[in-house]
Amino acid sequence: MREEDTIICRCEDVTLADIRTALDEGLTDFEELKRMLRCTMGSCQGRTCRELILREIAAARGVAPDEVEIPVYRPPTAPVRLGELAEAYERRGGDDGDE
Amino acid sequence: MAMNDTAEAVIIGGGIIGCATAFELAERGMKDVIVLEKDYLTAGSTGRCAAGVRQQWGLEMNIRLARGSCKMLERLEEELQYPYSIEFNQSGYLVLAFSAAQMRQFERNVRVQRSIGTPSRVVDLEEAREVVPHLRTDELVGATFCPEDGHANPFHTTMAYAQAARRLGVQISTRTEATGIDTSGSRVVGVETDRGYISTPIVYNAAGPYSRRVAAMAGVGIPVYSERHQILVTEPVAPYQGPMVISLEHGIYCQQTPHGSFITGLGDPSEARGINCEATWEFAEELAHMVVGILPPLAELRVVRQWAGQYNITPDAQPILGGISGLDGYHMAVGFSGHGFMVGPMTARLMAQTITGEKPDMDISMLDLGRFEREELIHEPSVV
Ligand SMILES: Cc1cc2nc3c(=O)[nH]c(=O)nc-3n(C[C@H](O)[C@H](O)[C@H](O)COP(=O)(O)OP(=O)(O)OC[C@H]3O[C@@H](n4cnc5c(N)ncnc54)[C@H](O)[C@@H]3O)c2cc1C
């Protein structure tokens, strides 16, 4: 299969070719790669693609995969509506009740 | 990759300021430059910011810095041959006035803005609702609008500069921390890092929230502190808000990104000083209360992520730019408060011009460190 057709990150539609191009451009830090291409930032938070990308980065840098720094993933906030948060604020009487 | 052990200049900090200045130096022939970044590019304030760009300032100096940067951002991909988009979305900034006094100040600001070419205008409540139909206007007095303002993607903007700088020969060393600045007599002679020593006659402090620590490495004291600012992003929805909406009085701003998500943030006057990247529920709730009050339909949107970054703040909330007398080779561009992204491109160019001995395109000497001792603080009425 061609690099252009090999989807690595399914959530954000990033191909192997996208990743190799970015690596060739010097983006060999996982943190930079993810912000550049949005890979691993979708709903699965990298569960399927993280290992594949790690291996590509390691190969481009000529190091072992466990030498590559892995981004920190914050679990997504419980999907609360802004309206509910606003109500919670109004219920607790605003600014911590200090005033 | 092995890091060089000599350089014409060492830049400490891989945010918008460090990367843009590296490019501008290389453009001027100073190519043997090393950028040190202790984490990864944009790990500091730049990668955490809202990247709003507004020309609507009160002082001519700030209008010129922001307008100059705006014009550079408009052509940045082309100028830097960046193959991706920096997502510069110029759908305007609507600045809200909640009192008659604030409105009078904004009218004065607009006169200054227009006198140097910024196409801003005063709008009444009806016009405000035309540009932002879901805006609640019952507590508003009026607003000003500039259609050229907007927001960009801070990561891509920084990467555009970094990649262009690399092509010109600049070495960017991420995961490399500057740990000391070496001086001899009244000169900078080198920088110590956790990956070895670099001999250099020039060091440039672009360390954002860590600027005071880096200045102290050279024995320089600067009156800055860092303060947490929190921000959140919602799920993406179909586009319905063009302009960025901001209230300077409440310290709140809200934009819809090209991706469809809304990004909104709010300052907290009781925030303690220091570097703190923790996100809190209290913030999310207070912000929600404020933003839903101004833009009611946002109540329906779900929050997907929340984070925090730092403002690096000086006594007048204006940056400190330039060198200092008594220490040749030390330069800094620090203390940008909440507006370092929007003045970044122009500031970087002016700093590179100063460092390479060119005449800068505009005078920035009033932003030197000495102003605090001379008691010549800058009075910008439209700073958050
Ligand atoms: C929530 C929030 C919203 C904001 N919104 C806006 C906005 O809408 N518009 C706007 O214009 N501005 C905004 N800002 C402000 C803007 O983010 C900053 O002014 C700007 O990014 C500063 O850029 P910088 O390059 O100076 O600093 P930074 O981006 O912080 O870069 C400094 C870098 O230096 C590195 N560093 C520090 N010490 C060392 C060392 N010893 N060795 C090596 N590296 C080191 C850090 O890791 C960091 O990456 C916002 C800020 C926040 C927090």
Side-chain angles (χ1 to χ4, degrees):
Chain A
M1 203 150 96
R2 294 185 317 148
E3 286 181 14
E4 294 80 19
D5 301 329
T6 311
I7 307 256
I8 296 283
C9 168
R10 277 179 275 163
C11 304
E12 295 287 340
D13 206 11
V14 180
T15 66
L16 185 58
D18 296 332
I19 288 176
R20 292 202 171 145
T21 305
L23 288 170
D24 284 346
E25 288 166 354
L27 282 154
T28 53
D29 198 302
F30 206 148
E31 295 279 8
E32 294 170 8
L33 203 60
K34 107 178 184 201
R35 284 170 180 75
M36 183 89 152
L37 300 176
R38 301 190 57 86
C39 51
T40 75
M41 290 179 82
S43 54
C44 92
Q45 294 282 290
R47 223 166 314 153
T48 46
C49 60
R50 187 175 330 159
E51 288 302 317
L52 297 170
I53 297 170
L54 214 56
R55 257 185 280 153
E56 288 296 321
I57 295 174
R61 283 210 226 152
V63 300
D66 63 8
E67 287 177 59
V68 176
E69 302 84 358
I70 307 168
V72 196
Y73 285 90
R74 295 184 207 91
T77 321
V80 185
R81 288 186 309 110
L82 281 170
E84 296 166 54
L85 290 167
E87 282 160 24
Y89 178 83
E90 286 137 25
R91 262 201 312 279
R92 74 176 156 87
D95 200 12
D96 302 318
D98 285 353
E99 291 169 348
Chain B
M1 190 173 61
M3 192 170 66
N4 293 345
D5 60 7
T6 66
E8 288 174 272
V10 171
I11 292 176
I12 303 176
I16 183 71
I17 300 295
C19 292
T21 307
F23 168 77
E24 294 288 348
L25 285 174
E27 267 271 286
R28 287 169 175 72
M30 192 184 278
K31 300 183 180 197
D32 189 5
V33 170
I34 301 176
V35 177
L36 301 176
E37 167 52 56
K38 68 183 177 63
D39 296 315
Y40 51 91
L41 298 180
T42 74
S45 307
T46 303
R48 300 164 187 277
C49 84
V53 178
R54 77 172 144 102
Q55 300 178 35
Q56 297 181 78
W57 290 89
L59 293 181
E60 181 170 331
M61 170 195 75
N62 278 328
I63 304 165
R64 285 192 191 282
L65 284 173
R67 181 166 174 74
S69 298
C70 183
K71 294 289 144 193
M72 290 164 80
L73 289 171
E74 282 173 3
R75 303 174 34 96
L76 203 71
E77 290 123 351
E78 196 183 324
E79 295 273 314
L80 303 181
Q81 292 169 36
Y82 189 58
Y84 307 87
S85 168
I86 65 159
E87 297 168 17
F88 188 31
N89 181 339
Q90 290 177 284
S91 29
Y93 241 78
L94 186 71
V95 184
L96 309 179
F98 284 88
S99 70
Q102 199 176 33
M103 199 59 224
R104 279 195 298 279
Q105 178 66 53
F106 288 178
E107 285 162 3
R108 282 196 291 276
N109 294 354
V110 164
R111 276 197 294 278
V112 186
Q113 289 155 14
R114 294 186 70 91
S115 75
I116 56 180
T118 289
S120 56
R121 60 177 197 268
V122 173
V123 296
D124 61 24
L125 299 182
E126 195 175 322
E127 287 170 291
R129 281 192 300 267
E130 263 160 42
V131 292
V132 180
H134 55 291
L135 179 72
R136 212 184 93 192
T137 49
D138 44 345
E139 284 172 28
L140 276 185
V141 173
T144 64
F145 183 68
C146 173
E148 280 182 1
D149 291 350
H151 46 87
N153 178 316
F155 182 71
H156 278 291
T157 307
T158 308
M159 283 319 282
Y161 275 115
Q163 297 300 69
R166 278 188 175 120
R167 279 199 304 274
L168 291 174
V170 169
Q171 197 176 46
I172 298 183
S173 285
T174 55
R175 310 278 176 188
T176 310
E177 181 166 359
T179 53
I181 295 174
D182 192 16
T183 60
S184 169
S186 61
R187 290 219 48 89
V188 167
V189 294
V191 174
E192 195 67 67
T193 81
D194 57 1
R195 288 175 61 202
Y197 182 87
I198 309 164
S199 298
T200 181
I202 294 175
V203 64
Y204 181 71
N205 180 351
Y210 303 87
S211 65
R212 194 172 53 166
R213 203 174 297 172
V214 168
M217 291 176 192
V220 177
I222 54 174
V224 297
Y225 65 92
S226 290
E227 180 184 273
R228 173 174 67 178
H229 278 253
Q230 301 194 59
I231 178 164
L232 60 76
V233 59
T234 72
E235 61 189 332
V237 288
Y240 68 88
Q241 181 173 318
M244 180 121 163
V245 173
I246 181 172
S247 160
L248 299 168
E249 183 164 309
H250 304 100
I252 193 173
Y253 53 84
C254 179
Q255 60 173 258
Q256 187 173 21
T257 70
H259 182 242
S261 52
F262 278 78
I263 290 185
T264 174
L266 171 72
D268 176 359
S270 65
E271 182 67 49
R273 293 182 178 192
I275 294 180
N276 175 358
C277 283
E278 199 198 333
T280 65
W281 275 111
E282 290 83 354
F283 160 79
E285 292 176 356
E286 181 175 4
L287 171 66
H289 161 77
M290 305 271 302
V291 79
V292 168
I294 298 173
L295 302 163
L298 267 66
E300 294 313 314
L301 301 185
R302 291 173 198 283
V303 179
V304 296
R305 220 156 2 103
Q306 205 191 317
W307 67 94
Q310 323 295 323
Y311 283 13
N312 189 235
I313 303 179
T314 63
D316 57 9
Q318 300 300 311
I320 305 175
L321 305 181
I324 57 164
S325 57
L327 185 58
D328 291 346
Y330 173 86
H331 301 269
M332 64 188 144
V334 304
F336 287 94
S337 225
H339 58 277
F341 182 81
M342 67 178 83
V343 298
M346 188 67 185
T347 304
R349 179 166 293 175
L350 296 167
M351 288 303 298
Q353 289 170 332
T354 309
I355 291 168
T356 56
E358 245 178 73
K359 185 177 180 307
D361 292 343
M362 70 177 260
D363 181 23
I364 43 168
S365 58
M366 67 295 242
L367 289 168
D368 69 337
L369 176 63
R371 74 179 184 272
F372 303 108
E373 219 161 85
R374 297 192 305 271
E375 297 186 7
E376 289 171 6
L377 270 62
I378 312 275
H379 298 287
E380 167 57 59
S382 281
V383 78
V384 206

